[in-house]
Amino acid sequence: MDLADTIFEVIDMRSFSNLWFWIALAVVWSTASHWVLGVPWDLVTRAKRRGGSAAEDVEDLCRVYVRRILHVAEVSGLVMTVLACFVLTSLAVLGFGYSIEFAQAVFLLAFPMTLVGLLSLRSARIIRAEDPTGHELYRRLQIHRMSVQFIGMASIFVTTMWGMFKNFSLGVLGG
């Protein structure tokens, strides 16, 4: 057995039957819903309850990350859009056109995260335009977080259904 066979046996390119893929899926979505525009959600809840320095920290972090997101979008938005479209289209064609399971798995992770990125850009623009503070800011961050969680739930559902379909069809067809 050579090195390439050993690596592919350990990694198992059949992603939907691999425990590491499902762990990565859970980590991606729990991280995406915890960090709301760069602000950790536990800090937002602490600021809601206690105010004070936690509220200042939320406002400062939010201001910094909103400026950062908008700057990146303004400076390299077109290049990032073209690159994201190319990568997602390539993954979709390889995964669903040529039945490469690894590309399907990466697409099912990347496409919804692209939606989260667009949602973050939209929320950043709204926050910059409205310049909310205090409970208005917390409300805006909560709306963003709930939207991310909705996208995450839909993504996990679709990925799970597709993964079960792939695993059952491979099991029935004999792999």
Side-chain angles (χ1 to χ4, degrees):
M1 189 187 275
D2 66 341
L3 181 62
D5 290 336
T6 305
I7 290 173
F8 282 115
E9 186 176 322
V10 170
I11 294 176
D12 187 16
M13 296 305 276
R14 287 190 7 204
S15 301
F16 299 114
S17 62
N18 192 333
L19 178 63
W20 291 108
F21 171 75
W22 298 105
I23 291 171
L25 183 71
V27 168
V28 162
W29 286 110
S30 65
T31 303
S33 69
H34 178 71
W35 293 91
V36 183
L37 293 178
V39 181
W41 186 249
D42 60 309
L43 184 62
V44 175
T45 56
R46 193 174 21 193
K48 277 187 201 179
R49 282 189 233 143
R50 297 185 191 147
S53 65
E56 291 174 18
D57 291 345
V58 168
E59 289 179 12
D60 291 342
L61 278 173
C62 193
R63 189 172 41 253
V64 166
Y65 278 103
V66 162
R67 272 195 308 242
R68 182 175 177 267
I69 290 169
L70 294 175
H71 175 73
V72 168
E74 291 166 3
V75 170
S76 59
L78 181 61
V79 172
M80 288 175 50
T81 301
V82 169
L83 186 62
C85 289
F86 171 76
V87 168
L88 289 173
T89 302
S90 299
L91 287 171
V93 168
L94 287 172
F96 301 104
Y98 291 101
S99 299
I100 297 173
E101 190 172 320
F102 184 73
Q104 292 172 1
V106 174
F107 178 83
L108 290 171
L109 278 170
F111 178 71
M113 289 307 294
T114 304
L115 298 178
V116 169
L118 292 172
L119 182 67
S120 296
L121 180 60
R122 179 179 174 270
S123 294
R125 286 185 174 152
I126 291 171
I127 288 173
R128 181 179 64 182
E130 295 177 357
D131 196 26
T133 58
H135 289 287
E136 295 171 18
L137 178 61
Y138 309 148
R139 187 180 139 286
R140 174 56 53 197
L141 293 174
Q142 184 170 10
I143 290 169
H144 177 79
R145 182 174 192 245
M146 289 176 63
S147 300
V148 169
Q149 288 177 330
F150 177 75
I151 293 170
M153 287 188 317
S155 170
I156 290 169
F157 177 77
V158 168
T159 303
T160 302
M161 291 297 116
W162 184 255
M164 285 193 301
F165 169 73
K166 293 299 286 186
N167 286 334
F168 287 148
S169 65
L170 285 174
V172 169
L173 298 175

